[in-house]
Structures are given as structure tokens and as C-alpha cells.
């Protein structure tokens, strides 16, 4: 529930509301605004009887948040969240950010070659996993800490910001030292101890939709991050499991307008994991921009046939460059813009 204070409410009125909420056994989150202060009530499972709050001095109205998630909902915060990154990049402010790079960091030559190529083609962030959550324990699990060191090198050399995955709570700090955005993968979307730890890491988080997660479950997972005090969360539609084996997953583009309607958080699309097939990536990337995605996450490898993970869905650098041209045309057609790389960043 939200308690909206009147414009002329005094600090003492706000304090009285906070104390009343706490006395009712809930948590109060005051949110001072330009016009008026709103006090959020969290910790309730169902509808709260607000009679006592409505009667307090300075209270204008009570708004009941109808969804089980609260902090991520549009009711709670009508204006879109803009995630601000080093170098002035934003996600959620209208500009489309393209995050590109190999599935995994495989070595210095590979990651630097990929980083330079995606930057030259217009990506603004480099993605690559150092810790890989693989379906099979026998598959390549990533270079670990050595991979993080190589990502830091790629950041220094190209100025690209880094998106890389944390797979367990113990690994979050090491990832946060190098990453500009911490990725939580689909397999970990409901790993609540990891979410809580990432919510406290002081870096934006990219939360991928679980393999069989509903949009409500995705938003509830994001709620864990916001509840830990991290407002900088970017959601990612990466395809869900379906009965059809033609594609690896079913990229649910309707999740983009759905999330925008239900939540203030930005949402990007991952057509690589969403299709599992290189040939389909450009069409679904174009469609995602047209559907209003705040960005894209695309796997690109200098030699996809030699990739240690996800080669079949990775574009080569020429294909990525071609796709970027097409994306600019689509963005233009709907009055949007693909962000440009701006050299070395702070
Ligand atoms: C990845 O981004 O390489 C990855 C493992 O993605 P997902 O968690 O969506 O499967
Ligand atoms: Mn991958």
C-alpha cells in the first residue's frame, strides 16, 4: 500500500504515518517527491486495512498495490527507472543499448578480438561469462577468476562496459569488482540467496527470465533485488521452454510490452538464447527493438565454430555488423536510437 501525503503535510505528519505503519507490524519506506511525500508500506501478504492511516493528519489518499510484487510495480513508481552507467550510458531512458560478446571468456586473444569487433560495430557493453552455469557438469564451466581479469583488461583496452554473470552468493563480490552490470542467469532467477547478495553488491543487476518462469515470477525475483535496496535492475527476456524443438527456446516478445505495463523497470531481449540459432538472431533482434526493448543482449564470437559454449547461436563479427545496420533502421522507423560507443569510459 502507498500512503500519499498532502502537499502541505509537515515532517511530523510523515513521521506519524511511519510510526503507525511500524506499529501495525509492517515496514515503512518514505519516498520524498518534488510535489509531495509518499510512504510505502511493505511486508504485507494481502490487503492491509488502512483505516487507521487514512485518519492521520496530512494523509491525502491510500493506494492499494494490487500485485504481489510492490517495489517493481508501476503503481509504486509510475515513471520509468533509468539505470545510469559509467560514461553517461543509460538503460531505460529511450536509447537502445546493445550488449554483445561471446557466451564465455575463453582466452585473451578471443575476448580482446571480440571486444574490439563489437565496439567497432556499435555495441556499448561487452558481455561474456567467466563463471558459466552449464546444464551439464561435463561442459566447459568458464575460466573463473582468470576470466574476470581478462574482462577487466578488455574494459581497459576498449572502454566497453562489462556485463558478466555471478552464479553463487560467494562469487558476487569478485564479479562486482569487474562488472558494470552483474548478470543473474535464467537458471538462477529464483536463487533467492544469490538475489539477496546481488541486491547488496552496489552494482546494477541484469536479471534473466527463468527457463519456465511466468512474468509474475520474474517480477517477484526482481522484487528481491529492490527489497535489498538496489533500484538498478534490468530485466531480460531470453526465451522460455516450449514444446516445439525447432528453436532452443520460445522468445516471448510479448513480455516486453507486458513488463513495461506492469513495471517501471527496463527490459532487454536476448535473441541468442531465445532462438539458439544464429540464422534467426537478426530477425528476432529487429523484432525486439520494434516491440520496445530497452536494449539487446547478443552473443558474438570471432570464430563461432570454435566456441566453447553456445557457438550455434553466436553471430560472427561480420554478421553482427550487418545486424547493427538493420537495427539502426528499425530504431529510426519508430523514433528511437541505438546508443553509440563513446570511447574510453571512467
Ligand atoms: C548466457 O547469457 O550466456 C546464459 C547462460 O544465459 P541464460 O542464463 O539466459 O541461459
Ligand atoms: Mn550463452
Amino acid at each position: 500500500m502507498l500512503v500519499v501525503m498532502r502537499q502541505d503535510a509537515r515532517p511530523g505528519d510523515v513521521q506519524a504515518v511511519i510510526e503507525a505503519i511500524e506499529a501495525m507490524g509492517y515496514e515503512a519506506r518514505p519516498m520524498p517527491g518534488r510535489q509531495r511525500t509518499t510512504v510505502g508500506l511493505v511486508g504485507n501478504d494481502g490487503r492491509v486495512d488502512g483505516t487507521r492511516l487514512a485518519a492521520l493528519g496530512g494523509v491525502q489518499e491510500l493506494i492499494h498495490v494490487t500485485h504481489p510484487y510492490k517495489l517493481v510495480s508501476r503503481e509504486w513508481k509510475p515513471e520509468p527507472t533509468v539505470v545510469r552507467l559509467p560514461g553517461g550510458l543509460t538503460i531505460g531512458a529511450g536509447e537502445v543499448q546493445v550488449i554483445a560478446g561471446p557466451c564465455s571468456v575463453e582466452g585473451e586473444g578471443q575476448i580482446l578480438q571480440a571486444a574490439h569487433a563489437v565496439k567497432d560495430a556499435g555495441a556499448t557493453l561487452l558481455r561474456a561469462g567467466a563463471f558459466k552455469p552449464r546444464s551439464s557438469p561435463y561442459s566447459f564451466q568458464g575460466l573463473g577468476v582468470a576470466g574476470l581479469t581478462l574482462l577487466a583488461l578488455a574494459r581497459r583496452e576498449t572502454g566497453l562496459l562489462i556485463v558478466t554473470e555471478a552464479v553463487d552468493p560467494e562469487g558476487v563480490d569478485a564479479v562486482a569488482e569487474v562488472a558494470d552490470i552483474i548478470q543473474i542467469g535464467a537458471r538462477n532467477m529464483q536463487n533467492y540467496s544469490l538475489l539477496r547478495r546481488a541486491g547488496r553488491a552496489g552494482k546494477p543487476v541484469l536479471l534473466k527470465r527463468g527457463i519456465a518462469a511466468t512474468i509474475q515470477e520474474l517480477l517477484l525475483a526482481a522484487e528481491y533485488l529492490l527489497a535489498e535496496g538496489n533500484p538498478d535492475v534490468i530485466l531480460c527476456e531470453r526465451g522460455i521452454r516450449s514444446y516445439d524443438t525447432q528453436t532452443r527456446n520460445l522468445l516471448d516478445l510479448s513480455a516486453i510490452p507486458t513488463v513495461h505495463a506492469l513495471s517501471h523497470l527496463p527490459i532487454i531481449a536476448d535473441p541468442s538464447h531465445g532462438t539458439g540459432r544464429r540464422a534467426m538472431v537478426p530477425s528476432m533482434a529487429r523484432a525486439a527493438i520494434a516491440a520496445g526493448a530497452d536494449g539487446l543482449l547478443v552473443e558474438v564470437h570471432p570464430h563461432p565454430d570454435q566456441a566453447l559454449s553456445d557457438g550455434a547461436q553466436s553471430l560472427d563479427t561480420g554478421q553482427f555488423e550487418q545486424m547493427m545496420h538493420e537495427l539502426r533502421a528499425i530504431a529510426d522507423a519508430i523514433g528511437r536510437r541505438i546508443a553509440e560507443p563513446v570511447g574510453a569510459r571512467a
Side-chain angles (χ1 to χ4, degrees):
M1 184 165 67
L2 292 166
V3 183
V4 182
M5 304 301 293
R6 287 179 16 186
Q7 227 166 325
D8 61 359
R10 288 160 309 167
D13 295 331
V14 177
Q15 190 52 36
V17 168
I18 294 172
E19 282 165 20
I21 290 174
E22 288 170 354
M24 289 159 75
Y26 303 116
E27 197 187 317
R29 303 242 176 151
M31 296 175 277
R34 239 173 300 167
Q35 301 281 329
R36 51 171 54 84
T37 293
T38 302
V39 185
L41 179 154
V42 288
N44 58 308
D45 247 350
R47 197 178 165 89
V48 171
D49 178 5
T51 330
R52 176 174 168 186
L53 299 171
L56 290 174
V59 172
Q60 179 171 304
E61 63 168 328
L62 304 182
I63 300 176
H64 289 276
V65 179
T66 48
H67 301 289
Y69 45 84
K70 304 201 184 313
L71 306 177
V72 305
S73 73
R74 277 267 179 206
E75 289 158 308
W76 193 271
K77 179 172 174 279
E79 67 279 7
T81 285
V82 176
V83 176
R84 295 183 189 283
L85 300 167
L89 285 190
T90 54
I91 302 183
E95 258 192 352
V96 178
Q97 302 295 343
V98 178
I99 305 168
C103 182
S104 308
V105 186
E106 298 169 5
E108 183 172 328
Q110 174 250 17
I111 196 64
L112 291 182
Q113 206 182 332
H116 284 291
V118 300
K119 182 180 177 182
D120 290 348
T124 44
L125 294 101
L126 174 69
R127 63 133 296 139
F131 299 94
K132 295 303 301 177
R134 304 304 301 281
S135 298
S136 161
Y138 307 117
S139 302
F140 175 59
Q141 304 284 310
L143 296 183
V145 175
L148 293 179
T149 308
L150 292 175
L151 285 171
L153 173 67
R155 190 184 193 278
R156 281 198 303 279
E157 275 222 0
T158 62
L160 287 172
L161 301 186
I162 302 296
V163 180
T164 194
E165 180 162 355
V167 292
D168 46 37
E170 309 76 59
V172 167
D173 284 342
V175 167
E177 255 180 57
V178 169
D180 295 286
I181 301 179
I182 302 169
Q183 178 172 319
I184 306 264
R187 289 160 192 77
N188 268 320
M189 188 201 83
Q190 288 177 311
N191 180 340
Y192 299 117
S193 50
L194 175 59
L195 292 173
R196 285 193 195 282
R197 189 64 200 80
R200 295 195 299 268
K203 287 281 169 81
V205 174
L206 174 66
L207 177 64
K208 299 188 89 175
R209 182 178 182 181
I211 286 162
T214 62
I215 289 172
Q216 177 157 306
E217 286 162 342
L218 172 63
L219 292 173
L220 281 167
E223 185 85 8
Y224 274 82
L225 297 163
L226 272 79
E228 289 299 327
N230 188 348
D232 293 326
V233 174
I234 304 137
L235 304 174
C236 179
E237 166 59 41
R238 49 77 73 203
I240 46 176
R241 185 64 58 84
S242 93
Y243 50 78
D244 199 325
T245 53
Q246 290 291 322
T247 53
R248 180 177 177 184
N249 290 300
L250 179 67
L251 186 67
D252 176 11
L253 290 180
S254 68
I256 295 165
T258 306
V259 163
H260 279 153
L262 296 174
S263 174
H264 51 83
L265 295 176
I267 176 162
I268 68 168
D270 170 356
S272 306
H273 296 84
T275 61
R277 292 170 55 176
R278 179 181 313 141
M280 294 179 178
V281 169
S283 356
M284 297 315 279
R286 296 193 302 262
I289 303 278
D294 295 292
L296 290 177
L297 183 141
V298 182
E299 288 189 334
V300 180
H301 194 289
H303 305 287
D305 297 342
Q306 294 164 26
L308 297 182
S309 58
D310 285 349
Q313 66 193 34
S314 299
L315 300 180
D316 68 25
T317 55
Q319 289 163 335
F320 179 65
E321 198 185 343
Q322 170 64 29
M323 185 186 81
M324 289 297 286
H325 287 300
E326 297 164 5
L327 296 182
R328 288 188 191 101
I330 297 287
D332 244 15
I334 57 162
R336 304 191 63 203
R337 210 179 131 259
I338 308 284
E340 301 289 340
V342 290
R345 292 171 200 286

